[in-house]
Amino acid sequence: MDKRITIYDLAKTLGVSAGTVSRSLNDHPSISQKTKDRVISKANELGYKTNKFAVNLSKQKSNTIGVIVPKLNSIFMSTVLAGIEKIANEAGYNLIISQSLESMEKEKINAKTLYDSGVDALLVSLAYDTSNFDHFANYIKNKIPLIFIDRVTNLPNCSTIIIDNKLAGFVATEHLIAQGCKNLLYISGNLKQNVYSERLKGFQEAVAKHNLIFNNANLLESDLSPGSVKQAITHIKDTGIPFDGLFVANDSFAAHCLKELKKENYKIPQDIKIVGFNNDPISDLVTPTLSTINYPGYEMGILAGQSVISQLNGSIDFQAANSITLRHELIIRESSLK
Amino acid sequence: MDKRITIYDLAKTLGVSAGTVSRSLNDHPSISQKTKDRVISKANELGYKTNKFAVNLSKQKSNTIGVIVPKLNSIFMSTVLAGIEKIANEAGYNLIISQSLESMEKEKINAKTLYDSGVDALLVSLAYDTSNFDHFANYIKNKIPLIFIDRVTNLPNCSTIIIDNKLAGFVATEHLIAQGCKNLLYISGNLKQNVYSERLKGFQEAVAKHNLIFNNANLLESDLSPGSVKQAITHIKDTGIPFDGLFVANDSFAAHCLKELKKENYKIPQDIKIVGFNNDPISDLVTPTLSTINYPGYEMGILAGQSVISQLNGSIDFQAANSITLRHELIIRESSLK
DNA sequence: AGGTATTACGCAACCGATTGCATAACTATA
DNA sequence: TATAGTTATGCAATCGGTTGCGTAATACCT
C-alpha cells in the first residue's frame, strides 16, 4: 500500500533537513521563499499529510474543543450545538461532544475523559442535578478555557453565555397580567438550576408589582417530562385557585399542558392563557399557537464558539473572562390573547 | 505548578525502566503482579495521568469516532446522535461531531478533516446533495470502518443502518387508501436521496396495487423547508386533482401543511387525510394529531454505535460489513381517520 | 577586501508513550 | 549442581513532528 510519507521522507528527497521541511510547511519566516516553494510543491507531489498525532504530542494541544450538554436530543441544545460547531469548524477546531444525560456523575466522568484526552477548551451546559463543581477544577488550574452556556454556574475566570432569565420571566408574566390574568401559575423546572430559579424571580417580581398574590400554590416544580403533565393538570384543577394564566418553563411541556387542558374542556386562551419558553418550532404549530419567549439558541452557540476561539487565540485575556447576556424576545401568539 | 508526571518519572522513582512502567499500567502479562502493584500504587500516589497524545502517536489511533450529519439541530438527527454517543461513551470512545449543513462540499471538507485528525471510524448520514463519494475513498482504502446511517449509499465494505423506507411508504399509503382516499399526493424531499426515493417506490406500489392513478401531479418534490409550504398548498389547490390524501416525507412539514390547510378551510381529516413521517414529538401535539411512521432514531444510533464498536474491536469481520434494517411502525392518529 | 549584520538552514533534543528483542533472574528438572 | 525452560525486566528504536541554538552562507557598508 502507500505508506504515509513523513517530513523525513520529504527531507531526504529534497536534500534538506527535517526541521527545514517542518518550518517550510508552517510558513516560518526564517525560511527562504524558494525553499518553501520547493518543499511545498514536493509535498503536494508526494501527497504528504501531516500527522496530527505527532503535532499534538509535540505541541501538547489537540485543536479540539470539548462539549458537555445534558442531552443531545433536545431541539434547543442541538441548535446551540449547531452554532458552536459552525464557528469551531470555521476556526479549524474539532468538537468532541458528550452528553451528561442530566446526571452529575456522568458529567464528572465526561469532564475527566475530555480533560484526559486533552481538549483545548471545554464548553458546558450543566446537568439537571449538578451541585458540585470540583470536576472542573483541573481545567481552571491548568488555565484551560471553560465556558458555561445557558445552565451555568459562577466559577472564577469562566465565561458564561446566558439570557436574562429573570427579565424574561418578568416580561412573560407581566404580559399575562396585561391580558387580564389574576391567578398565575409558574410551572418550573428544577429550581436548583439558574434558568428556572431566575425565571421564578422574574415571575414573582411581576406578580408583586401588580399586587397579585404569590404563595406556594402559584409555583409548581416539575421535571418537565411528558409524564408529569397529569400532575400539572391536577394541580391546576384541584388547588382551588381559579388559575387563568400559566407561565410554563418550556414550550414542549406547555404544549402538552395545552393539549391536556383542551381535553379537560378548558378554553385556551379564554379560560386560561399560556406563555411558554424557548420558541420551540412546536409553539407555532399547536392550536392555538403558543406565546413564548424566543430563546436564541443558535446565537448562543455562535457566541460561545466565538468566545472560546478568541480565548484560545489569546485575543481575549483569559483573566478577563466575561459574561455575555443575549437578548430574548416575547412572542405573542394566540394562547395568551385576551 | 505541578508539571505532569510521566512514565519516566515513575520509572526513576521506582528504579525500573519506562517499558516496565508502561507494561504494568497496561496490565501486560509479562510483568509480575508484584511489580504491577508497585507501579500502579505509585502512579496513583503521584497522580500520574497518561498522555493521550503520546499514546495516539505511538499507536496511530485516537480512540475517537468521527460523525458527519447534515444538521445537528434536527430532532431526528440529534436523537440518533444521542444513541451513538451513549454507546461510544460506554466503550470509551470520544465522538467528534461535525455537520455538513446539507452541502456536499462541506461534507467533503469534514470527511477530510476527520480523516486527517485520525478518527478510528466514521459515521455518516449524507448531505442533501451528495452525489459523489470520492471523499470516502481514503477511509475505505485504509480500512477505517465507515458506516452510513439513514441517508446512505452503497459503498464496498461499508455497513448501513436504515429502515425499510419503501415498505414504510407502502404501509402509509395503503393506510390512506384503506381510509378511503382516492387521490393521493406524496410530498417528497430530494428524490436523489435514498430515503425519499424509496418511500416514493412504496407509495407508487400501493397506488398501483389498488388501481389508483399515479402521474406527475401525484408527486411533489420539495425541500421540506417551512418556506415551501405555500408551494405545496398551491399544488394541492391548483392542480385540479381533488386530493384527499397526503403522504408527507416528514412530520414537521406535514404539521406546517396541516396548519396551512386548516387556514384554507380544509377539514382534516374529513377533506384531506394526512400521514407524516418520523414520529416527531410535534406529531402528537398538533390538532388534529398527526398519523405518522415511527422512525426509531435512538435505536438507529444505538445500533450504529454498536456496529462501529464491534468493527473496531474486531469482533465483526470488517469484510462482512452488513446492512441493518430496523423496524418502523405506522402510528395512526386523528389526521388520517375516516 | 575586510568587517558586520542578516538570512537561511542544520543539528539534535524533546514531546510521552509502545514494543520487539535481548537478557538477567529465577524455577524446575535431571 | 549443571542445564534447560520460564518468567520478568531492560534497552533502545520508533511514532512524526517542533523548536532553541549555533553557524554557514550571503548581503550590505565603508
Side-chain angles (χ1 to χ4, degrees):
Chain A
M1 197 71 50
D2 51 340
K3 54 174 173 291
R4 266 167 106 81
I5 75 156
T6 70
I7 54 168
Y8 296 101
D9 301 327
L10 283 178
K12 204 183 303 173
T13 312
L14 290 164
V16 297
S17 77
T20 299
V21 172
S22 171
R23 280 185 261 252
S24 296
L25 261 15
N26 292 304
D27 203 22
H28 187 104
S30 80
I31 300 289
S32 71
Q33 194 55 48
K34 202 170 64 177
T35 305
K36 281 180 190 170
D37 291 343
R38 283 183 60 219
V39 171
I40 290 170
S41 87
K42 182 57 86 178
N44 289 332
E45 178 189 332
L46 268 50
Y48 168 80
K49 291 263 157 59
T50 127
N51 181 319
K52 287 274 171 59
F53 298 145
V55 178
N56 289 349
L57 173 59
S58 115
K59 292 211 179 146
Q60 293 295 316
K61 58 167 296 197
S62 61
N63 244 268
T64 281
I65 297 169
V67 185
I68 304 177
V69 299
K71 294 177 65 182
L72 272 163
N73 49 335
S74 119
I75 187 72
F76 172 68
M77 259 313 147
S78 57
T79 305
V80 174
L81 285 173
I84 299 174
E85 199 274 345
K86 179 162 189 294
I87 299 298
N89 196 301
E90 285 170 7
Y93 280 85
N94 278 133
L95 231 51
I96 298 191
I97 300 177
S98 64
Q99 46 185 353
S100 62
L101 299 174
E102 300 288 10
S103 136
M104 174 164 81
E105 283 317 308
K106 192 144 189 268
E107 185 177 286
K108 278 186 183 175
I109 295 171
N110 287 340
K112 182 178 180 330
T113 305
L114 291 174
Y115 180 78
D116 288 346
S117 55
V119 294
D120 297 338
L122 183 66
L123 299 175
V124 184
S125 190
L126 293 167
Y128 201 69
D129 65 346
T130 298
S131 48
N132 172 294
F133 305 96
D134 294 347
H135 44 305
F136 300 121
N138 272 328
Y139 291 87
I140 296 173
K141 186 165 52 171
N142 294 30
K143 297 198 182 307
I144 297 173
L146 176 55
I147 295 182
F148 291 95
I149 306 171
D150 191 41
R151 282 156 48 163
V152 307
T153 185
N154 245 320
L155 255 42
N157 298 330
C158 296
S159 298
T160 55
I161 316 268
I162 48 173
I163 63 163
D164 188 336
N165 282 285
K166 182 173 152 192
L167 181 57
F170 181 84
V171 166
T173 309
E174 208 167 37
H175 165 65
L176 285 170
I177 296 172
Q179 297 299 307
C181 299
K182 303 285 183 205
N183 293 286
L184 298 175
L185 173 62
Y186 169 42
I187 302 183
S188 173
N190 186 338
L191 284 168
K192 276 189 292 192
Q193 290 190 346
N194 64 303
V195 290
Y196 301 122
S197 62
E198 288 292 311
R199 290 174 205 174
L200 173 58
K201 284 187 199 158
F203 178 80
Q204 288 172 313
E205 269 189 18
V207 165
K209 176 175 168 193
H210 294 276
N211 300 311
L212 299 181
I213 295 168
F214 178 85
N215 59 38
N216 284 343
N218 297 97
L219 166 66
L220 176 64
E221 193 172 354
S222 160
D223 66 0
L224 303 178
S225 73
S228 304
V229 173
K230 273 153 291 180
Q231 178 204 355
I233 304 300
T234 306
H235 184 95
I236 294 169
K237 288 172 59 183
D238 298 355
T239 317
I241 302 179
F243 290 115
D244 54 6
L246 257 47
F247 173 40
V248 186
N250 75 42
D251 283 344
S252 167
F253 199 75
H256 277 98
C257 289
L258 177 61
K259 182 181 175 186
E260 214 55 38
L261 286 171
K262 278 162 64 181
K263 262 197 209 155
E264 301 275 344
N265 287 317
Y266 286 87
K267 299 274 173 260
I268 315 291
Q270 294 83 343
D271 299 340
I272 299 187
K273 305 190 199 313
I274 307 182
V275 175
F277 215 104
N278 277 14
N279 195 20
D280 193 301
I282 225 173
S283 60
D284 198 29
L285 289 168
V286 293
T287 311
T289 54
L290 185 64
S291 297
T292 190
I293 300 285
N294 185 39
Y295 206 0
Y298 192 73
E299 286 73 18
M300 290 181 89
I302 296 282
L303 277 170
Q306 289 171 340
S307 178
V308 199
I309 299 297
S310 41
Q311 287 190 36
L312 288 171
N313 291 344
S315 40
I316 282 187
D317 181 15
F318 177 66
Q319 299 301 336
N322 42 6
S323 168
I324 302 178
T325 304
L326 276 83
R327 245 207 303 276
H328 59 264
E329 170 195 13
L330 173 66
I331 297 181
I332 299 172
R333 298 209 184 91
E334 299 161 358
S335 70
S336 66
L337 283 182
K338 215 181 298 200
Chain B
M1 198 62 57
D2 52 339
K3 53 176 176 291
R4 266 168 106 83
I5 74 157
T6 71
I7 56 168
Y8 297 100
D9 301 326
L10 283 177
K12 203 184 304 174
T13 313
L14 291 163
V16 299
S17 78
T20 298
V21 173
S22 171
R23 280 185 262 252
S24 296
L25 261 15
N26 292 304
D27 203 23
H28 187 104
S30 79
I31 299 289
S32 71
Q33 194 55 49
K34 200 169 66 177
T35 306
K36 280 180 190 170
D37 291 344
R38 281 182 61 219
V39 171
I40 290 170
S41 88
K42 182 59 85 177
N44 289 332
E45 178 189 332
L46 269 47
Y48 167 79
K49 291 265 159 56
T50 129
N51 182 319
K52 288 274 171 61
F53 298 145
V55 178
N56 290 348
L57 173 60
S58 108
K59 292 212 179 143
Q60 293 295 317
K61 59 166 294 199
S62 62
N63 244 266
T64 281
I65 297 169
V67 184
I68 305 177
V69 299
K71 293 177 65 182
L72 273 162
N73 48 334
S74 120
I75 188 71
F76 173 68
M77 260 311 147
S78 57
T79 305
V80 174
L81 284 172
I84 299 175
E85 198 276 343
K86 178 161 189 293
I87 300 298
N89 195 301
E90 285 170 8
Y93 280 84
N94 278 132
L95 230 52
I96 297 191
I97 301 177
S98 64
Q99 45 185 355
S100 62
L101 299 175
E102 299 288 9
S103 137
M104 174 166 79
E105 284 316 309
K106 203 162 176 250
E107 184 177 287
K108 278 186 183 174
I109 295 172
N110 288 341
K112 181 178 181 331
T113 305
L114 290 174
Y115 180 78
D116 288 346
S117 56
V119 294
D120 297 338
L122 183 68
L123 300 175
V124 183
S125 190
L126 292 167
Y128 201 70
D129 65 346
T130 298
S131 49
N132 172 295
F133 305 96
D134 295 346
H135 44 305
F136 301 120
N138 272 329
Y139 291 87
I140 296 173
K141 187 165 50 173
N142 295 17
K143 298 198 181 307
I144 296 172
L146 175 56
I147 295 182
F148 291 95
I149 307 171
D150 190 42
R151 289 168 27 175
V152 309
T153 185
N154 245 322
L155 256 43
N157 297 330
C158 296
S159 296
T160 54
I161 317 269
I162 48 174
I163 65 164
D164 188 337
N165 283 285
K166 182 173 151 193
L167 182 56
F170 181 84
V171 166
T173 309
E174 208 167 38
H175 165 66
L176 285 170
I177 296 171
Q179 298 299 307
C181 298
K182 303 285 183 206
N183 292 286
L184 298 174
L185 173 62
Y186 169 42
I187 302 183
S188 173
N190 186 338
L191 284 169
K192 277 188 293 192
Q193 290 190 346
N194 65 303
V195 290
Y196 301 122
S197 62
E198 288 293 311
R199 290 173 206 173
L200 173 59
K201 284 187 199 159
F203 178 81
Q204 288 172 315
E205 270 189 18
V207 165
K209 175 175 169 193
H210 294 275
N211 299 311
L212 300 180
I213 295 168
F214 178 85
N215 58 38
N216 285 342
N218 297 96
L219 166 65
L220 176 63
E221 193 172 353
S222 158
D223 66 0
L224 303 178
S225 72
S228 304
V229 174
K230 272 154 292 178
Q231 177 205 354
I233 304 300
T234 307
H235 184 96
I236 293 170
K237 288 172 58 183
D238 297 355
T239 317
I241 302 178
F243 289 115
D244 54 6
L246 257 47
F247 172 40
V248 186
N250 75 43
D251 283 345
S252 167
F253 199 75
H256 278 98
C257 289
L258 177 59
K259 182 182 174 186
E260 213 56 36
L261 286 171
K262 277 162 64 181
K263 262 197 207 154
E264 302 275 344
N265 288 317
Y266 285 88
K267 299 272 173 265
I268 315 292
Q270 293 83 345
D271 300 340
I272 300 187
K273 306 192 198 313
I274 307 181
V275 175
F277 214 106
N278 277 13
N279 196 19
D280 192 302
I282 224 172
S283 60
D284 198 29
L285 289 168
V286 292
T287 311
T289 54
L290 185 65
S291 296
T292 189
I293 300 286
N294 186 40
Y295 207 123
Y298 192 73
E299 286 72 19
M300 290 181 90
I302 296 283
L303 277 170
Q306 289 170 340
S307 178
V308 200
I309 299 298
S310 41
Q311 287 191 36
L312 287 170
N313 291 346
S315 40
I316 282 188
D317 181 14
F318 177 67
Q319 299 301 337
N322 43 5
S323 168
I324 301 177
T325 304
L326 277 82
R327 246 206 303 277
H328 59 264
E329 171 195 11
L330 172 66
I331 297 181
I332 300 173
R333 298 210 184 90
E334 299 162 357
S335 70
S336 66
L337 283 182
K338 214 181 301 199

